[in-house]
């Protein structure tokens, strides 16, 4: 009986996901419950599967007492309830639909293909309501922090650059500068939801801190290329379910690198600002289609289309040697459009037993990272 129930739920999950990859899962779960509870609804097939007539133009309506119609057209999901509408809205409204629990959200952030494999392998019951430990996460590989981390590991013009010790670095909105600096980054809005998890069991790492930084719309980094700004940098603290949220802009594409976001994860915010070694230093890759759309549609990304055309994930000097599973894991899942902004989700599984000796800058503590001279000057970037 249990095995049969798992198969039926798995089929429902699979069908719902194929109809709309952006719609929150609870809407589908509610729809299933409504049809089962509505005495006037047609009975389910003997297999127990939800009867969807798969067509972009076909609308399936499920209701409880005829008061709450929910429609599926293959791409969008509309509902009369305000909370359902809000869950599909960009910017501030996006946050309202993401308090549904770790087991719910991890499915989205692990990616569509991996979720379907998990449902088939461990059963939908474990995913929807069972322990998160039933999931399998792909630990992200260590990546270079690059020449512009501002984490105290290098210097510019003989001065150590460290945003982590500056007042105001713990924040959610990364677009304005903080402290004594006032400049603000301009670009397409990106609301990021990152979930920090232990790769062993995929369990949330509450209380851990993450420091993220990335370039602006034209590929420049604050505190290095733009010395009188410290925007697009900040620290967040994971909640009980490992989630951290930031509001930033869609990163640009500079010559020689795939569009990306840097991050470092620490055991606590105290360890982040005290200069202790990170648990993981890595990068988030941005999806190619969304990058192409943003750069083509928004003139603030003036060099984005040209630079994106010169690089691929396979030829990128950071992502190029990662496995296919690692690339899927570290690529942001985005929903949105250039004119309205994006919501991005990434699950960040961390191998807490990994060898971190390679995380030290070349030359050891106190020496400049690879590519820097003894005065701490970063290497030139082609085309930037």
């Amino acid at each position: 009986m249990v095995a049969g129930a798992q198969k039926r739920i798995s089929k429902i999950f699979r069908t719902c996901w194929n109809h709309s990859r952006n719609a929150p899962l609870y809407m589908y779960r509610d729809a299933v419950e409504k049809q089962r509870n509505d005495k006037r609804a047609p009975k389910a097939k003997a297999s127990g599967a939800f009867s969807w007539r798969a067509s972009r133009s076909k609308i399936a309506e499920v209701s409880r007492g005829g008061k709450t119609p929910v429609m599926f057209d293959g791409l969008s999901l509309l509902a009369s309830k305000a909370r359902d509408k809000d869950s599909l809205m960009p910017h501030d409204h996006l946050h309202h639909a993401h308090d549904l629990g770790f087991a719910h959200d991890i499915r989205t952030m692990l990616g569509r293909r991996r979720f379907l494999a998990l449902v088939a392998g461990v059963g939908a019951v474990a995913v929807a309501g069972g322990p998160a430990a039933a999931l399998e996460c792909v630990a992200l590989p260590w990546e270079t922090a690059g020449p512009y981390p501002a984490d105290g590991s290098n210097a510019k013009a003989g001065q150590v650059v460290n945003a982590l010790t500056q007042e105001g670095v713990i924040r959610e909105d990364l677009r304005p500068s903080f402290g004594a600096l006032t400049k603000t980054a301009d670009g397409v809005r990106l609301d990021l939801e990152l979930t920090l998890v232990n790769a062993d069991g995929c369990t949330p790492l509450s209380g851990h801190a993450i420091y993220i930084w990335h370039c602006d719309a034209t590929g420049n980094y604050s505190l290095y290329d733009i010395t009188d700004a410290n925007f697009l940098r900040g620290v967040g603290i994971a909640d009980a379910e490992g989630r951290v949220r930031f509001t930033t802009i869609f990163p640009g594409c500079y010559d020689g690198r795939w569009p990306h976001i840097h991050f470092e994860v620490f055991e606590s915010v105290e360890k982040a600002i005290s200069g202790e070694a990170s648990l993981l230093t890595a990068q988030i890759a941005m999806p190619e289609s969304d990058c192409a759309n943003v750069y083509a549609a928004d003139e603030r990304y003036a060099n984005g289309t040209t630079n994106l055309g010169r690089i691929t994930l396979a030829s990128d000097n950071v992502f190029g040697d990662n496995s296919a599973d690692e690339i899927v894991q570290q690529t942001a899942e985005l929903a949105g459009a250039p004119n309205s902004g994006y919501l991005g989700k990434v699950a960040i599984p961390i191998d807490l037993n990994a060898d971190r000796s390679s995380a030290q800058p070349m030359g050891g503590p106190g020496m400049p990272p690879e590519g820097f001279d003894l005065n701490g000057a970063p290497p030139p970037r082609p085309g930037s």
Side-chain angles (χ1 to χ4, degrees):
M1 181 179 296
V2 173
Q6 288 184 349
K7 289 181 180 179
R8 290 194 295 273
I9 297 174
S10 175
K11 189 170 183 179
I12 293 169
F13 273 51
R14 191 181 296 269
T15 304
C16 292
W17 184 268
N18 286 334
H19 273 71
S20 177
R21 61 178 295 187
N22 295 330
L25 185 59
Y26 72 86
M27 288 176 155
Y28 295 115
R29 189 167 60 239
D30 288 350
V32 174
E33 293 174 356
K34 288 171 184 175
Q35 185 173 20
R36 287 175 175 171
N37 294 333
D38 191 346
K39 296 181 180 179
R40 293 174 296 175
K43 292 183 179 180
K45 294 182 179 179
S47 65
F50 207 12
S51 177
W52 306 96
R53 297 187 181 271
S55 156
R56 292 171 62 90
S57 60
K58 178 68 178 175
I59 296 178
E61 177 172 307
V62 184
S63 65
R64 177 183 289 119
K67 296 179 180 179
T68 312
V70 180
M71 298 185 294
F72 300 86
D73 64 0
L75 288 178
S76 63
L77 184 149
L78 304 175
S80 61
K81 289 185 179 180
R83 68 174 176 85
D84 293 348
K85 292 179 180 178
D86 286 345
S87 70
L88 300 177
M89 295 293 286
H91 306 334
D92 292 339
H93 298 286
L94 287 168
H95 288 171
H96 300 167
H98 304 293
D99 297 320
L100 303 173
F102 179 81
H104 166 274
D105 288 340
I106 198 68
R107 180 267 310 156
T108 299
M109 290 176 284
L110 283 174
R112 176 177 179 270
R113 290 189 299 273
R114 184 170 296 120
F115 173 69
L116 294 179
L118 287 169
V119 170
V122 304
V125 173
V127 177
L135 300 171
E136 179 185 356
C137 292
V138 176
L140 292 193
W142 278 81
E143 313 282 17
T144 176
Y148 311 102
D151 60 358
S153 64
N154 64 16
K156 181 176 177 62
Q159 297 294 318
V160 173
V161 184
N162 193 352
L164 294 176
T165 59
Q166 297 178 9
E167 184 177 356
V169 70
I170 302 173
R171 63 205 190 119
E172 183 171 327
D173 191 344
L174 308 185
R175 294 170 297 178
S177 293
F178 57 95
L181 302 179
T182 59
K183 284 189 174 180
T184 297
D186 194 22
V188 172
R189 177 168 175 159
L190 172 62
D191 289 301
L192 273 179
E193 184 178 289
L194 311 178
T195 301
L196 310 183
V197 297
N198 185 340
D200 183 8
C202 208
T203 53
L205 293 173
S206 63
H208 285 58
I210 183 169
Y211 167 47
I212 77 168
W213 70 96
H214 63 86
C215 69
D216 67 6
T218 56
N220 293 312
Y221 284 86
S222 66
L223 295 175
Y224 294 88
D225 301 310
I226 309 170
T227 57
D228 58 346
N230 54 12
F231 50 58
L232 307 183
R233 301 178 181 274
V235 173
I237 305 170
D239 63 17
E241 296 191 329
R243 293 181 297 199
V244 184
R245 295 186 178 100
F246 294 106
T247 295
T248 184
I249 68 167
F250 201 103
C253 181
Y254 54 86
D255 194 17
R257 278 304 317 276
W258 188 263
H260 60 282
I261 296 173
H262 292 270
F263 67 87
E264 294 175 333
V265 177
F266 301 87
E267 187 176 351
S268 66
V269 69
E270 291 79 14
K271 291 189 175 182
I273 64 179
S274 65
E276 293 200 22
S278 64
L279 297 175
L280 175 67
T281 298
Q283 300 179 24
I284 296 167
M286 303 303 291
E288 181 175 10
S289 60
D290 295 298
C291 291
N293 291 339
V294 169
Y295 302 157
D298 197 309
E299 62 183 8
R300 292 171 292 187
Y301 296 82
N303 57 354
T305 298
T306 299
N307 290 334
L308 185 66
R310 296 171 176 164
I311 190 75
T312 65
L313 275 168
S315 65
D316 184 73
N317 62 7
V318 172
F319 300 124
D321 60 353
N322 293 352
S323 70
D325 281 347
E326 289 170 340
I327 291 294
V328 169
Q329 185 74 73
Q330 67 191 131
T331 299
E333 292 271 355
L334 297 185
N339 62 344
S340 59
Y342 288 84
L343 168 67
K345 288 187 173 186
V346 185
I348 300 176
I350 303 168
D351 181 357
L352 298 178
N353 299 314
D355 178 12
R356 294 178 176 79
S357 60
S358 61
Q360 289 289 351
M362 178 172 286
M367 296 297 290
E370 182 178 3
F372 282 67
D373 61 30
L374 292 177
N375 294 319
R381 284 179 299 173
S384 62

